[in-house]
Amino acid sequence: MATLTLKSWPFPENHEAELVWFGSPFMDYKGNWRIRVAFRTSAEGIKVVSYPWGTIPYLRIGQIYSNGTYDQITPMSGSAFQFTIDAFNHGTVTNGFKLPKRLIDFGKIPELGLQNIIQYQTNGLTYCIPVIELIRAMLINSRYLAYYLLQPHGLDLLIDNSYSLGKTLHLDLSNRVPAKLATDSNVRHLSWIYSDPMIRSLWDSVYQNMFIQAVKSSPYNPSSSLKKGVPLNIDLPSLGSIEMHTRGVQFIDYVLVKEIIAIGGFQHPSNEILFWHPSKKRREWSSGDKTIRMIPGSKNTDYVLNDQSDNAKEDSNQDILETSPTIMRFANYPVVETRRSSVRHSNTGNEVFVSTGRGGKHAAASEEVSTHDSMVGGDTPPIDFQTLETIPASEAIGLELFFQMIEMLKKKLTVNVRMSVVRVPPGRRFSVCMNGSRRTCAIIQVTNGASTSYIVEVARPVDWSISTLILRPMNQLSFRIIERNIKQLLDGLVLKSGHWDQSVLNQCDTMNIEKLKHYQSDTIREWASRLASKLMT
């Protein structure tokens, strides 16, 4: 599981820092968009650092960093909350200072408290969603979308041609869309933003509100306001009922949403999408010799963010880093087909090996990458992010009942819960659910007094028979060792095609590992009771 290390890191070595909030996006003196990010350590309090705006799809409130690196296995602050918003446009936009201080303390940094949140009241609770998190989850699942969001008419630059015939949308993507992100899931998402008038108005409102505020602050020189930074704001369209699965924290009747894990209730305007991208070519075969280039493999799959680069290079084969998934559910699920017009010729004859030449993207390229906007002549290889999975409304992410059970467990036991949702490693059919989305896994840290346990639950959208794992470190293990063990277990799970590998379980000899079976006859209350009895023994 690849990681991204933030090179500009202001904290001492091995000190853990939690990402607690975001400031305003702003333009630096080079004209590049950046975002202020607030971290907190127990020793030094809050420090605000800025990174390229294109990094935002990778960042989540609650992430724990050490030496500038966040590992997705690390459970984050907060636990699961599921709720339904009756009317999307009935939210109240306010600022962070209106939140109870017990939910978040901005450490006397006014800019952090001035960031906008949207409040929704449902079932006696007030859910507070940071505007920047709602924008991330709904609109910017990748670096390139982040930058086009902050350009006037940026969305039009991604679409070369679009028209509808009945319920079929014909969509030609421009070469500004990275080839590796011209996927069915991303096409459903991008075409939804582009062709649904209300979602398009939501997208447009982000830049419009920012520019209007900049003009109000500096009528004769709005760019000076953009360089200082403007809190993001949006106009809420009338979308009707929206369902959310989130990670958050609660104080009395207020819930602060730190991450939107899944969001649904949307209707795509089309039933079928026929799309084209410059990288999509029809393959024709001939009998000539097949040339195979021998390229040395990359020494590692980890990246270091060079946030001081001027611009990222243009690269049609840029690397893609998977990060915490966001699930988007559509009530209707458009079928996506690819139109292939140009031709790629391939030979089927004898294999001829050669060892010279780059053969496309050089596998030995520097590990330093950039999340700045790409341009010809840029100085650093780019990295983009894969975050979004679009699925039908009828397809669950497979963890909903587990999250409900954990909430019930919190009422049975006085415990502190932290959680992360990750994709299981690729490599086997089990890694992908029947709807084509990557299978997910929840990692829960449960602290009861001085005792800490870890619960690993693999998503079972089709009631796959796999037990819950309960991990108990025997001694005071560093979390790096625990992370390594959990990664071993997940790798073994995939290699065993969806079953826990007993030989790998035996290798994790620094932890006691128990399995908790699923029973179809169990109610959520019974499931929580069985888990509670395991944790208390």
Side-chain angles (χ1 to χ4, degrees), residues 139-390:
L139 303 178
I140 51 174
N141 64 304
S142 56
R143 172 184 67 99
Y144 79 94
L145 278 184
Y147 282 108
Y148 284 104
L149 179 71
L150 298 188
Q151 291 188 35
H153 311 292
L155 196 60
D156 294 317
L157 300 176
L158 301 174
I159 310 296
D160 282 345
N161 189 26
S162 173
Y163 62 92
S164 293
L165 292 176
K167 279 292 187 177
T168 300
L169 174 66
H170 294 253
L171 190 74
D172 291 357
L173 303 181
S174 78
N175 59 10
R176 295 180 177 89
V177 177
K180 291 184 179 179
L181 289 179
T183 63
D184 290 3
S185 189
N186 286 330
V187 165
R188 284 190 194 93
H189 178 242
L190 181 57
S191 63
W192 172 66
I193 298 173
Y194 187 80
S195 61
D196 187 304
M198 287 187 290
I199 304 303
R200 178 64 182 265
S201 70
L202 176 66
W203 169 283
D204 291 339
S205 73
V206 177
Y207 179 80
Q208 289 169 357
N209 281 315
M210 176 182 285
F211 191 75
I212 289 170
Q213 185 58 46
V215 171
K216 284 183 179 179
S217 300
S218 305
Y220 300 106
N221 186 17
S223 62
S224 64
S225 291
L226 296 178
K227 289 178 180 178
K228 293 177 183 176
V230 177
L232 291 178
N233 200 0
I234 55 175
D235 297 336
L236 297 172
S238 179
L239 292 178
S241 178
I242 300 295
E243 182 184 5
M244 289 194 185
H245 295 260
T246 65
R247 173 177 55 83
V249 291
Q250 181 175 354
F251 175 67
I252 309 178
D253 56 353
Y254 281 83
V255 176
L256 173 60
V257 171
K258 296 189 172 187
E259 178 185 7
I260 297 172
I261 299 170
I263 183 168
F266 304 118
Q267 185 82 19
H268 198 288
S270 305
N271 292 333
E272 183 180 13
I273 304 167
L274 185 61
F275 89 97
W276 175 85
H277 185 268
S279 66
K280 305 298 182 182
K281 297 181 180 180
R282 188 176 71 255
R283 191 180 293 273
E284 289 188 358
W285 303 94
S286 60
S287 59
D289 288 340
K290 179 168 56 178
T291 300
I292 298 178
R293 296 185 183 277
M294 300 296 292
I295 301 173
S298 179
K299 294 181 180 179
N300 59 65
T301 56
D302 295 332
Y303 305 95
V304 175
L305 178 66
N306 177 8
D307 62 308
Q308 299 302 319
S309 67
D310 288 336
N311 288 98
K313 295 178 180 178
E314 283 284 352
D315 191 340
S316 60
N317 292 303
Q318 63 186 275
D319 288 338
I320 303 295
L321 181 62
E322 286 190 341
T323 186
S324 304
T326 302
I327 310 296
M328 181 166 286
R329 294 169 170 165
F330 286 104
N332 63 329
Y333 191 60
V335 175
V336 177
E337 294 184 5
T338 306
R339 178 169 56 84
R340 302 175 189 271
S341 54
S342 55
V343 177
R344 175 183 290 124
H345 295 279
S346 297
N347 295 335
T348 60
N350 296 326
E351 294 180 347
V352 178
F353 292 88
V354 297
S355 57
T356 59
R358 294 187 59 183
K361 185 178 178 65
H362 200 305
S366 169
E367 66 175 357
E368 283 200 354
V369 294
S370 173
T371 53
H372 275 304
D373 200 6
S374 297
M375 65 172 292
V376 175
D379 56 14
T380 310
I383 188 87
D384 216 316
F385 303 103
Q386 170 96 11
T387 68
L388 189 74
E389 299 281 0
T390 57

Side-chain angles (χ1 to χ4, degrees), residues 390-421:
T390 57
I391 63 173
S394 58
E395 298 280 358
I397 61 174
L399 292 168
E400 293 87 345
L401 294 180
F402 173 74
F403 289 148
Q404 292 177 32
M405 182 274 292
I406 292 295
E407 287 305 300
M408 194 163 290
L409 178 74
K410 287 169 58 179
K411 296 174 182 177
K412 286 179 173 291
L413 304 174
T414 305
V415 294
N416 181 46
V417 171
R418 301 171 69 92
M419 62 172 280
S420 287
V421 176

